[in-house]
Amino acid sequence: MRTFHLKRGLQHCPIVNVDKLWSMLPEGVFDKTKAAGNTDNVPVLDVTKLGYFKVLGKGVLPAVPLIVKARYFSLDAEKKIKAAGGACLLTA
């Protein structure tokens, strides 16, 4: 027996890439945020409510700030989000 007390599902961690983040927000939010140009009304995206736990850094993120909430972030994803002017918030 190789695994004592096997609990299935502990490794379950759905992922989403950085290039898909803006498509998860409602239509028109990107254009409104890009046109505003200020950092007062930055949209907040909680990917855990959409069924994803980890944000990976594949793809290109536009230079428009976005606040992303997730359980896990890869280093590349965190760098790209912060370079765009956004923030990464960890949730439990």
Side-chain angles (χ1 to χ4, degrees):
M1 185 173 188
R2 295 181 186 263
T3 307
F4 296 100
H5 305 293
L6 177 66
K7 297 180 183 176
R8 297 190 190 276
L10 291 179
Q11 307 299 327
H12 180 71
C13 187
I15 60 168
V16 66
N17 287 312
V18 167
D19 58 352
K20 302 292 183 193
L21 292 179
W22 279 106
S23 64
M24 294 181 178
L25 289 171
E27 192 172 328
V29 174
F30 176 73
D31 296 329
K32 186 186 292 185
T33 307
K34 188 175 181 180
N38 57 4
T39 58
D40 294 338
N41 296 329
V42 177
V44 178
L45 176 64
D46 191 358
V47 295
T48 56
K49 289 184 180 179
L50 298 172
Y52 299 102
F53 292 159
K54 188 171 187 174
V55 179
L56 299 180
K58 180 182 176 187
V60 178
L61 190 65
V64 180
L66 175 70
I67 298 173
V68 183
K69 292 182 179 182
R71 282 189 177 180
Y72 309 106
F73 290 94
S74 69
L75 290 177
D76 289 337
E78 193 170 350
K79 287 178 187 177
K80 288 181 181 182
I81 292 170
K82 288 183 179 179
C88 301
L89 299 177
L90 296 174
T91 60

